């Protein structure tokens, strides 16, 4: 049951104008035929989808309305839809995990709901009430709970997103939107155990600039990042390390992960200056590290400092943080054609401890003193 629907008025201010316009129940339309589930071992990321999806419409003057869980199917969209031409689109990425008693668990889901609305504000998309986000997601997972795999380290990837659907050319905010949640089973990210990756520092393309949309999870950022990612892959690197768009000296993040370093005994990560995505895994790592009695310096880190630390051996550990891999140890970083090994290409002890702690909480294997894990069904 959805109790409040936003009647959104002002896309340029931070203030959400909330008014209850309707009380609507989530309509459930079950699929007549259920799909056969693909084997989870070796499953490619994001290729198979569960039987259903959650949808919610927005129309100007009416607000968000008609929440429903329906069979997974193609959308019908005007070829002039604003999303297709001007990328008025935002998304989230999260996972559902199978707990030891067969329960379905989410990791800090309200953080995703909040970040979606922070993204929405930047792209002039009307905010979705957190309650609707959560209720819609829960209804979908209850219906598709058999899609949450139970093999070790597997999960159900969840992709909530909002697209601008008005069929009218011209660069203006859309008058109608579609909020959708789809889910896709994912296998173990590290089938052979946690393994270090090689990354390449990108010094021509930039991902984001301050004042732009770097802190926003939007499709537009990704369109701009594909070329550098492709070049890095062609040279045998798994990710690009992005530098800031102004000085091209400051480290920002790695591919679609935030990045952290242990340099000379201190833990450092780029500060959230507007061009870095505020990752929920990043935030969780900082909170965990603090709870272990260490500080995390959120500050500027230049590529020169990093290369120097790698050369003089003070770069003890480096790792990426993000929902997909949770923690990705970085074993090698290349800059201007010169490669630098980190911690002898091995996994650092802090990196390993973060990975073990967060994944144990996500799969419900350990005491969760932060109450990060939320049982859905
Ligand atoms: C999603 C994302 C991250 C990681 O965020 P999490 O909430 O930890 O998954 C980092 N960088 C970019 C660019 C992202 O899109």
């Amino acid at each position: 049951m959805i109790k409040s629907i936003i009647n959104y008025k002002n896309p340029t201010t931070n203030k959400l104008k909330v008014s209850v316009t309707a009380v609507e129940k989530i309509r459930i339309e079950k699929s007549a035929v259920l799909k056969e589930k693909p084997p989870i071992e070796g499953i490619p990321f994001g290729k198979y989808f569960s039987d259903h999806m959650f949808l919610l419409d927005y129309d100007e003057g009416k607000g968000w309305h008609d929440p429903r869980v329906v069979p997974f199917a193609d959308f019908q969209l005007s070829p002039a839809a604003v999303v297709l031409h001007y990328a008025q689109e935002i998304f989230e990425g999260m996972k559902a995990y199978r707990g030891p008693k067969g329960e379905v668990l989410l990791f800090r889901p309200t953080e995703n709901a909040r970040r979606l609305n922070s993204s929405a504000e930047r792209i002039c998309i009307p905010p979705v009430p957190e309650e609707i986000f959560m209720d819609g997601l829960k209804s979908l997972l209850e219906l598709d709970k058999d899609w949450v795999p139970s093999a070790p380290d597997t999960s159900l990837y969840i992709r909530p997103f909002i697209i601008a659907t008005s069929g009218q050319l011209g660069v203006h905010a859309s008058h109608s939107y579609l909020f959708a949640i789809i889910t896709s089973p994912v296998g173990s990210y590290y089938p052979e155990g946690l393994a270090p990756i090689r990354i390449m520092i990108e010094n021509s393309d930039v991902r984001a600039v301050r004042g732009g949309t770097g802190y926003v999870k939007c499709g537009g950022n990704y369109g701009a990042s594909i070329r550098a990612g492709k070049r890095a892959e062609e040279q045998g690197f798994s990710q690009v390390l992005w530098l800031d768009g102004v000085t091209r000296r400051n480290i920002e993040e790695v591919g679609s992960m935030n990045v952290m370093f242990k340099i000379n005994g201190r833990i450092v990560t780029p500060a959230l200056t507007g061009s870095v995505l505020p990752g929920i895994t990043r935030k969780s790592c900082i909170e965990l590290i603090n709870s272990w009695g260490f500080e995390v310096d959120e500050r500027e880190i230049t590529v020169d400092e990093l290369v120097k630390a790698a050369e003089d051996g003070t770069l003890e550990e480096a790792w990426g943080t993000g929902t997909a891999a949770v923690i990705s140890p970085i074993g090698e970083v290349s800059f201007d054609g010169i490669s630098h090994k980190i911690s002898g290409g091995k996994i650092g002890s802090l990196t390993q401890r973060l990975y073990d702690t967060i994944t144990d909480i996500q799969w419900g294997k350990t005491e969760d003193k932060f109450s990060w894990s939320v049982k859905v069904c």
Side-chain angles (χ1 to χ4, degrees), residues 302-325:
T302 64
V303 65
D304 310 274
E305 178 185 352
L306 186 75
V307 167
K308 190 173 162 289
E311 280 172 352
D312 68 18
T314 51
L315 178 56
E316 295 163 42
E317 297 185 38
W319 65 94
T321 71
T323 297

Side-chain angles (χ1 to χ4, degrees), residues 91 93 115 207 217 222 253 255-258 277-282 321-324:
F91 65 93
R115 187 171 62 190
R207 192 191 80 94
K217 230 173 163 62
Y222 279 83
E253 51 187 310
S256 52
M257 291 188 287
N258 295 108
L277 199 287
I280 296 161
T281 320
R282 174 190 184 276
T321 71
T323 297

